């Protein structure tokens, strides 16, 4: 097998709202879009983020009504504090404050208009295991 691309697909109520959120606040670009569908990309992410409208008839029956709840879009960044300050300045609500874990991960979270969690992470605080 040769994998040529990767994507994460999330079912949401309002595809346009989630699309606009990632475009406006996270610099994604629309690669493809149609009614009930948007595929977003960034050169530095390595995968597309796809939003599908809940109830889309092209989805199998057992997936049509499932919402993206419980999923986290996590992106590792070099400048976590700067990104936090930028998002606050842009009026984005921080839904999980900046936290540091003993294994070295630091992260904060926001939610898009459909409740999709976007987490920005860095590993700059890594410490040796105890």
């Amino acid at each position: 097998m040769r994998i040529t691309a990767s994507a994460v697909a999330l079912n949401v109520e309002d595809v346009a709202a989630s699309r606009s959120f990632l475009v406006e606040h996270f610099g994604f670009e629309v690669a493809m879009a149609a009614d009930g569908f948007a595929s977003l990309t960034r050169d530095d992410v390595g995968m597309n983020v796809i939003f599908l409208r809940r109830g889309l008839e092209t989805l199998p029956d057992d997936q049509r009504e499932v919402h993206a709840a419980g999923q986290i879009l996590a992106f590792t960044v070099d400048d976590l504090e700067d990104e936090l300050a930028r998002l606050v300045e842009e009026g984005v609500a921080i839904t999980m404050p900046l936290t540091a874990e003993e294994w070295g991960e630091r992260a904060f979270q926001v939610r898009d208009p459909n409740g999709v969690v976007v987490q920005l992470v860095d590993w700059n605080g890594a410490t040796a295991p105890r």
Side-chain angles (χ1 to χ4, degrees):
M1 170 174 50
R2 181 175 167 275
I3 297 174
T4 60
S6 61
V8 60
L10 304 169
N11 291 353
V12 297
E13 293 297 327
D14 186 345
V15 169
S18 286
R19 179 190 66 219
S20 295
F21 187 80
L22 284 189
V23 168
E24 179 179 347
H25 299 294
F26 293 93
F28 278 80
E29 296 179 2
V30 177
M32 293 181 282
D35 183 36
F37 165 84
S39 178
L40 306 176
T41 188
R42 276 185 59 123
D43 290 339
D44 57 353
V45 171
M47 69 172 191
N48 283 23
V49 175
I50 297 172
F51 293 111
L52 301 169
R53 185 183 65 243
R54 280 183 64 197
L56 200 61
E57 296 204 5
T58 59
L59 292 172
D61 289 342
D62 65 340
Q63 296 175 21
R64 276 190 199 140
E65 296 304 324
V66 176
H67 186 272
Q71 304 299 308
I72 298 173
L73 285 176
F75 302 114
T76 302
V77 297
D78 293 329
D79 48 0
L80 194 61
E81 286 84 359
D82 290 347
E83 293 301 326
L84 176 59
R86 177 185 62 78
L87 289 167
V88 167
E89 185 175 307
E90 291 175 2
V92 176
I94 306 304
T95 57
M96 183 185 90
L98 181 59
T99 60
E101 302 295 343
E102 66 182 58
W103 56 83
E105 176 188 63
R106 297 182 326 136
F108 70 90
Q109 293 178 350
V110 302
R111 288 182 185 260
D112 85 352
N114 286 292
V116 174
V117 176
V118 180
Q119 177 173 292
L120 295 185
V121 178
D122 76 12
W123 294 92
N124 295 334
T127 57
R130 297 175 207 210

